Amino acid sequence: MLSSSGKELEAMVRSRLFDAGVRYTPGRARVFRLMEAAGGPRSAAELHGIVSDDLPLSSLYRTLMVLSETGILEKSHGPEGVALFELSEWLRGHHHHLVCVQCGSVEDIDFEAGDEQVIGAVAERVAATRGFRAKGHRIDVEGICGECAA
Amino acid sequence: MLSSSGKELEAMVRSRLFDAGVRYTPGRARVFRLMEAAGGPRSAAELHGIVSDDLPLSSLYRTLMVLSETGILEKSHGPEGVALFELSEWLRGHHHHLVCVQCGSVEDIDFEAGDEQVIGAVAERVAATRGFRAKGHRIDVEGICGECAA
DNA sequence: TTCCTTGCAAACGATTTGCATTGGA
DNA sequence: TCCAATGCAAATCGTTTGCAAGGAA
């Protein structure tokens, strides 16, 4: 679940961009709202498909880069290597992903606090045995989504 | 830890390639041994750096593709989007990764059986609430490696 | 001989960048 | 006025592919 509602999030984004000396333009607002509405990581191509009308790919990429550099979005990569973007954790809240190995869809999923705590503890303990200081973890649950199972 | 030792693994690879009607050539053996020796996922560029002498990138890519298609290797993507390859689970055994957010290095890490069981159960339970049938999971523990912390 | 494999060079596709233009504060 | 933001086209870079030559069965 999102940690705050629309207006609040937008205010947080606006102020972070301001602090970075970057304008909150209509184009950026548009991309931000798309990401807010998305239920998981999205590729530039998918986003472009939605706003295909008047938003050049290069501008979209530039917007995604600015939002990533300012910490609004986080960038990752799907199984085929295409870049995927999603709201970063301080806006969206900590979560994981359900990845369908059949159709490739990716959905956000929230674990319960208790489960998170257990997993975090395991991660820290195991990492420590290698002189590694754990800061966080990323989990992809792989399987078959409802659509594909039907 | 690897589930079997060198000779055994090679025999498994050889027979799987044979079943697929693919030859176990010196070039493929060479790449396989590199992957066996690697302690984590490796990019084509990294591998090429090791055998730079006489192995064209295109041949290396083709070898990696053949080994992936036959299930010897698994392909994923690093934070910058470059393709990474590693021995697949039936050869290497189930494991996870320690990812250093500073230098980008990726090391294999084995969780204890008990921890795996707990995590697997959580993943299945959570996935089920979304009509998703969990088959497995992938965990990246992010943090600072010993080298970078020093 | 018949396929599979290899190397080279060319092709690809996703992403990035140079540059001139537009627009907001 | 001034600097950031935009659009377009061209450039990049990792990766893939066509094609002809080399080799094993």
Side-chain angles (χ1 to χ4, degrees):
Chain A
M1 107 255 346
L2 282 88
S3 46
S4 322
S5 61
K7 292 292 180 197
E8 290 177 53
L9 283 185
E10 188 152 17
M12 294 166 81
V13 168
R14 200 185 280 275
S15 87
R16 176 168 280 228
L17 289 184
F18 180 82
D19 291 348
V22 169
R23 293 180 195 153
Y24 189 61
T25 63
R28 286 167 185 168
R30 204 164 156 202
V31 170
F32 167 67
R33 288 198 211 95
L34 279 182
M35 297 308 309
E36 196 183 0
R42 297 286 179 265
S43 69
E46 288 173 316
L47 297 171
H48 189 242
I50 302 177
V51 294
S52 51
D53 31 332
D54 61 331
L55 182 53
L57 260 179
S58 67
S59 296
L60 174 55
Y61 272 112
R62 244 189 295 239
T63 296
L64 292 170
M65 186 176 300
V66 167
L67 296 181
S68 297
E69 286 170 344
T70 50
I72 308 298
L73 300 182
E74 273 167 29
K75 187 180 182 179
S76 59
H77 291 269
E80 313 79 13
V82 301
L84 302 178
F85 300 85
E86 61 185 323
L87 290 192
S88 49
E89 298 217 328
W90 67 275
L91 287 169
R92 164 64 180 77
H94 180 62
H95 64 282
H96 298 295
H97 295 129
L98 292 178
V99 181
C100 179
V101 296
Q102 191 119 97
C103 68
S105 70
V106 183
E107 265 186 89
D108 287 349
I109 182 83
D110 292 285
F111 282 21
E112 287 169 30
D115 292 333
E116 279 297 347
Q117 193 178 337
V118 168
I119 293 171
V122 168
E124 278 182 38
R125 170 163 46 79
V126 171
T129 67
R130 294 288 206 82
F132 190 101
R133 189 179 314 161
K135 296 288 188 190
H137 57 263
R138 178 182 300 273
I139 303 179
D140 288 350
V141 177
E142 298 171 324
I144 308 291
C145 73
E147 290 282 292
C148 290
Chain B
M1 107 252 348
L2 283 88
S3 46
S4 323
S5 60
K7 290 293 178 199
E8 291 177 52
L9 284 185
E10 189 153 17
M12 293 166 81
V13 169
R14 201 185 279 276
S15 87
R16 177 168 281 227
L17 289 184
F18 180 82
D19 291 347
V22 169
R23 295 180 195 152
Y24 188 61
T25 63
R28 286 168 186 168
R30 203 164 157 200
V31 171
F32 167 67
R33 288 198 211 96
L34 279 182
M35 297 307 310
E36 196 183 359
R42 298 286 179 263
S43 69
E46 288 172 316
L47 297 172
H48 189 242
I50 301 178
V51 295
S52 50
D53 31 332
D54 60 332
L55 182 54
L57 258 180
S58 68
S59 296
L60 175 54
Y61 272 112
R62 244 190 295 238
T63 295
L64 292 170
M65 185 176 300
V66 167
L67 295 181
S68 296
E69 286 171 345
T70 50
I72 308 298
L73 300 181
E74 272 167 30
K75 187 180 182 179
S76 59
H77 290 269
E80 313 78 13
V82 301
L84 302 178
F85 300 85
E86 62 185 323
L87 291 192
S88 48
E89 297 217 328
W90 66 276
L91 285 171
R92 163 67 180 74
H94 181 61
H95 65 281
H96 298 296
H97 295 130
L98 293 178
V99 181
C100 179
V101 296
Q102 191 118 95
C103 68
S105 69
V106 183
E107 264 185 90
D108 287 349
I109 181 84
D110 292 285
F111 282 23
E112 287 168 30
D115 293 333
E116 279 297 346
Q117 193 178 337
V118 169
I119 293 172
V122 168
E124 278 182 39
R125 170 164 46 79
V126 171
T129 66
R130 294 289 207 79
F132 190 101
R133 188 180 315 161
K135 296 287 189 190
H137 57 263
R138 177 182 300 273
I139 303 180
D140 288 351
V141 177
E142 298 172 324
I144 309 290
C145 71
E147 290 281 292
C148 290

